[in-house]
Amino acid sequence: MNKLILIGSCLILLSACKPLSEPLIEGEMIKLSIQCTNGKTVVIDNQVTIDKVLIDINSSMREGTEEMEFDLEHQATLESNDGETVTFNLFDGGKTLVSGYYVHSNIEDYCK
């Protein structure tokens, strides 16, 4: 009986270490372009900044957008070194809409 409790406890602890959700944006991105609602375009090619945005998007809490309505704000595009792109919406408060999810990220407002 004690062995079963020990094995069960170990399985619970091991399953707790597994990430809860898959990353929304994968791959090495080299450029972030943001088309601001005020007409300004911001292009970021600083890898540290891009990686910070990716980590924030992939690790933040997210929820489905099926029943939500949004006034879309800034249009952002991440580009990989082989030319593939991922486009998402970026809001003034740092929140994003990515792949059908509202992501509670805290991305810097680059459109100020």
Side-chain angles (χ1 to χ4, degrees), residues 73-99:
E73 295 196 19
H74 315 298
Q75 184 78 26
T77 303
L78 281 163
E79 184 177 330
S80 68
N81 55 2
D82 59 356
E84 293 194 29
T85 60
V86 176
T87 303
F88 59 95
N89 295 97
L90 179 61
F91 298 94
D92 285 333
K95 310 300 185 243
T96 60
L97 286 178
V98 181
S99 302

Side-chain angles (χ1 to χ4, degrees), residues 4 6 12 24 29 36 38 43 51 54 59 69 79-80 88 92 95 97 102 106 109:
L4 288 175
L6 180 62
I12 290 171
L24 292 173
M29 300 297 171
C36 303
N38 62 11
V43 178
D51 290 343
L54 286 171
S59 64
E69 291 184 28
E79 184 177 330
S80 68
F88 59 95
D92 285 333
K95 310 300 185 243
L97 286 178
Y102 178 72
N106 192 23
D109 187 358

Side-chain angles (χ1 to χ4, degrees), residues 25 28-36 40-57 74-81 84-90 96 98 107-111:
I25 301 174
E28 186 174 333
M29 300 297 171
I30 60 167
K31 183 166 83 172
L32 172 62
S33 303
I34 304 169
Q35 180 64 47
C36 303
K40 179 173 90 170
T41 300
V42 177
V43 178
I44 299 168
D45 57 4
N46 179 307
Q47 196 61 49
V48 172
T49 304
I50 293 169
D51 290 343
K52 185 176 183 275
V53 169
L54 286 171
I55 289 168
D56 203 5
I57 289 173
H74 315 298
Q75 184 78 26
T77 303
L78 281 163
E79 184 177 330
S80 68
N81 55 2
E84 293 194 29
T85 60
V86 176
T87 303
F88 59 95
N89 295 97
L90 179 61
T96 60
V98 181
I107 298 171
E108 182 180 334
D109 187 358
Y110 299 103
C111 291

